């Protein structure tokens, strides 16, 4: 199979999986409306998906470093879709948490192995990894639209229809898996980049920076629909539009990040992006009216410019453990961000949503500070590492 075709199918499959990460947050307003959940209880559903995903993600990463597990791609896609598809059935809060958790495990299982396969298929190309990451961003962007069309039309009882992307995504991975053995044995240039020494300290700093980024993104994904409806006086459509802008801004940011990395090194691009994001999040919290949507788009783009760049940086910092590095940056850090959603929800219940979102302004600033200590890996430049210019 040609590299471009394999990356395209993997990117679409990534979208079909990550639609379920975005769907969890998109379902929250419907749980609140139909079941009268508090902000804290509703964000607990996001926590359930995030918590199990956080526990499972490193385990799958370690497993894929020891042995290739390509069959995980279609299986994990189906598990993730089934979990979210069943989450709206019944009135039991415990069952809702269970199904959301199962969906999170499916998403967790997908990312480490899919990133390994994408790296093999692309021959270690940063650009190809950018397109692979873009697929996930588009899945996030489509999630609120899909949920609005399905659940908005008939309530939570129609969530089983949300399994359709999982069926499509699992089928699309099959030709990639059939061509994978021929790709790795017949095209030496498509093999993974030879492993060098691991830079664990830099990887830990990178991971902490991505966690801070995740706290902002998951926090906004969970509550932005409510916040925009309160600030603008709009209805459900205004909240859905805010989620779409948030996720589409991420798709634009991912493409922009790859382009900027062609001009400057990755560390410099990520550092500047986080610094600019601080102002965008502040504007989102304080500015009223239509300007709010502009700030949402800028925040999302600023958070996603670093996304694929951080994945390839993680792989370069841990070249002997690509599965672990990919699983943590693509999945675990996103899941860890969800652990903070109930805290934001409790603060919102006690004060207001605007007050609860204030701490998010500090998160990209912390990511920027952590990146000040990072350097571009030597393998990416072909020469010894040097601090990136501020």
């Amino acid at each position: 199979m040609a590299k471009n075709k394999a990356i395209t199918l993997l990117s679409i499959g990534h979208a079909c999986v990550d639609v379920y990460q975005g769907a969890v947050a998109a379902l929250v307003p419907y749980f609140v409306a139909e079941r009268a959940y508090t902000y804290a209880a509703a964000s607990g559903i996001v926590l359930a998906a995030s918590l199990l995903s956080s526990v499972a993600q490193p385990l799958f990463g370690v497993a894929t470093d020891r042995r290739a597990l390509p069959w995980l791609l279609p299986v994990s896609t189906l598990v993730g879709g089934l979990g979210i598809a069943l989450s709206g059935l019944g009135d039991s809060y415990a069952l809702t948490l269970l199904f959301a958790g199962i969906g999170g495990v499916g998403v967790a299982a997908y990312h480490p192995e899919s990133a390994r396969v994408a790296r093999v298929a692309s021959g270690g190309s940063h650009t190809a990894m950018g397109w692979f990451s873009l697929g996930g961003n588009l899945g996030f962007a489509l999630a609120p639209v899909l949920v609005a069309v399905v659940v908005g039309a008939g309530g939570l009882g129609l969530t089983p229809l949300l399994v359709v992307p999982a069926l499509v995504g699992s089928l699309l991975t099959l030709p990639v898996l059939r061509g994978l053995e021929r790709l790795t044995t017949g095209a030496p240039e498509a093999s993974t980049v030879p492993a060098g020494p691991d830079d664990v300290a830099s990887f830990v700093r990178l991971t902490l920076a991505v966690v801070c980024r995740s706290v902002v993104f998951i926090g906004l994904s969970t509550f932005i629909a409510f916040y925009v409806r309160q600030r603008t006086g709009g209805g459900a459509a205004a909240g859905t539009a805010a989620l779409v802008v948030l996720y589409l801004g991420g798709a634009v940011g991912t493409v922009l990040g790859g382009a900027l990395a062609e001009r400057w090194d990755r560390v410099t691009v990520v550092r500047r992006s986080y610094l600019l994001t601080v102002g965008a999040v502040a504007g989102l919290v304080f500015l009223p009216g239509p300007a709010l949507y502009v700030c949402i788009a800028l925040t999302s783009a600023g958070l996603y410019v670093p996304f694929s760049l951080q994945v390839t940086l993680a792989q370069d910092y841990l070249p002997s453990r690509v599965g672990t590095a990919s699983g943590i940056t693509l999945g675990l850090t996103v899941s860890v961000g969800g652990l903070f959603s109930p805290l934001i929800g409790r603060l919102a219940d006690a004060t207001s949503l605007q007050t609860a979102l204030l701490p998010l302004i500090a998160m990209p600033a912390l990511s920027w500070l952590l990146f000040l200590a990072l350097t571009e890996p030597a393998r990416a430049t072909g020469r010894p590492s040097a601090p990136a210019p501020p």
Side-chain angles (χ1 to χ4, degrees), residues 203-224:
F203 178 76
V204 170
R205 293 189 187 97
L206 171 68
T207 299
L208 292 174
V210 180
V211 167
C212 292
R213 169 214 172 272
S214 176
V215 171
V216 180
F217 187 76
I218 298 299
L220 292 179
S221 297
T222 305
F223 296 107
I224 196 66

Side-chain angles (χ1 to χ4, degrees), residues 11-321:
S11 180
I12 298 172
H14 194 185
C16 291
V17 171
D18 276 6
V19 74
Y20 295 110
Q21 291 202 78
V24 176
L27 284 168
V28 166
Y30 296 97
F31 284 116
V32 172
E34 291 193 25
R35 300 182 183 176
Y37 290 160
T38 64
Y39 289 137
S43 61
I45 299 170
V46 179
L47 172 63
S50 300
L51 185 60
L52 284 181
S53 185
S54 298
V55 173
Q57 197 90 226
L59 301 178
F60 285 112
V62 171
T64 57
D65 280 333
R66 293 179 177 177
R67 182 179 181 181
L69 302 171
W71 56 267
L72 269 179
L73 270 65
V75 172
S76 61
T77 301
L78 288 173
V79 171
L82 284 172
I84 303 304
L86 295 174
S87 65
L89 299 183
D91 295 326
S92 170
Y93 185 66
L95 279 179
T96 299
L97 296 180
L98 174 63
F99 288 133
I102 291 173
V105 171
V107 172
Y110 175 84
H111 283 103
E113 182 63 12
S114 66
R116 185 195 67 81
V117 172
R119 186 178 174 92
V120 171
S122 66
S125 167
H126 301 323
T127 302
M129 286 301 296
W131 285 109
F132 172 71
S133 299
L134 175 63
N137 299 337
L138 291 176
F140 264 107
L142 291 173
V145 177
L146 178 64
V147 170
V149 170
V150 175
V151 182
L156 292 172
L158 292 184
T159 55
L161 295 177
L162 297 178
V163 78
V164 172
L167 297 175
V168 174
S170 61
L171 290 175
L172 290 177
T173 61
L174 298 181
V176 177
L177 300 186
R178 285 196 294 266
L180 184 61
E181 183 178 356
R182 185 162 62 96
L183 178 67
T184 54
T185 58
E189 73 278 7
S191 61
T192 55
V193 179
D198 290 339
D199 186 351
V200 177
S202 293
F203 178 76
V204 170
R205 293 189 187 97
L206 171 68
T207 299
L208 292 174
V210 180
V211 167
C212 292
R213 169 214 172 272
S214 176
V215 171
V216 180
F217 187 76
I218 298 299
L220 292 179
S221 297
T222 305
F223 296 107
I224 196 66
F226 298 113
Y227 184 66
V228 168
R229 291 170 68 174
Q230 288 181 4
R231 293 296 301 275
T232 64
T240 299
L243 276 174
V244 172
V245 170
L246 181 69
Y247 295 151
L248 283 180
V252 173
T254 300
V255 176
L256 183 60
L260 292 175
E262 295 294 329
R263 181 172 181 179
W264 298 289
D265 64 85
R266 290 169 293 176
V267 172
T268 299
V269 172
V270 173
R271 186 184 296 164
R272 292 173 177 174
S273 177
Y274 280 135
L275 190 58
L276 292 174
T277 303
V278 175
V281 177
L284 186 156
V285 173
F286 292 111
L287 292 181
L292 187 58
Y293 287 97
V294 176
C295 292
I296 292 172
L298 292 176
T299 297
S300 180
L303 291 173
Y304 266 98
V305 162
F307 190 76
S308 65
L309 306 183
Q310 289 170 153
V311 174
T312 58
L313 278 170
Q315 293 173 337
D316 289 345
Y317 287 140
L318 289 185
S320 68
R321 287 174 281 179

Side-chain angles (χ1 to χ4, degrees), residues 2-14 131 172 176:
K3 291 181 183 180
N4 290 343
K5 182 178 179 181
I7 291 296
T8 299
L9 291 177
L10 287 170
S11 180
I12 298 172
H14 194 185
W131 285 109
L172 290 177
V176 177

